[in-house]
């Protein structure tokens, strides 16, 4: 019997990324992440937005600027 451990992928930013409280570019920017930063990925919101943990709270970023490793 072998136990296989599955690691969830690590997500990094591919560009400077705005962090928002709502999945909309018209919502205020609550932060910004530099390129190459590892994010705490929670889930995909839809095809355009991803939910991440930002300062301990869920926030939204444009998923096209994230890459999974």
């Amino acid at each position: 019997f072998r136990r296989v451990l599955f690691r969830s992928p690590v997500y990094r930013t591919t560009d400077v990324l705005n962090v928002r409280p709502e999945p909309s570019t018209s919502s205020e920017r609550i932060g910004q992440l530099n390129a190459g930063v590892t994010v705490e990925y929670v889930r995909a919101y839809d095809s355009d937005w991803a939910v991440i943990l930002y300062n301990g709270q869920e926030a939204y970023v444009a998923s096209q600027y994230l890459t999974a490793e």
Side-chain angles (χ1 to χ4, degrees):
F1 176 73
R2 260 179 75 211
R3 192 163 63 169
V4 179
L5 297 178
F6 289 97
R7 266 194 26 211
S8 48
V10 173
Y11 286 83
R12 290 189 194 279
T13 57
T14 60
D15 202 345
V16 175
L17 198 52
N18 292 322
V19 181
R20 302 187 186 272
E22 301 293 330
S24 168
T25 54
S26 61
S27 70
E28 68 176 312
R29 188 178 79 192
I30 56 172
Q32 199 170 54
L33 299 170
N34 290 324
V37 172
T38 300
V39 299
E40 289 188 72
Y41 184 88
V42 178
R43 66 183 176 279
Y45 175 77
D46 60 18
S47 60
D48 296 322
W49 294 93
V51 181
I52 66 166
L53 278 183
Y54 184 75
N55 292 336
Q57 297 192 326
E58 288 191 356
Y60 297 85
V61 294
S63 54
Q64 73 186 70
Y65 299 112
L66 292 179
T67 184
E69 298 177 348

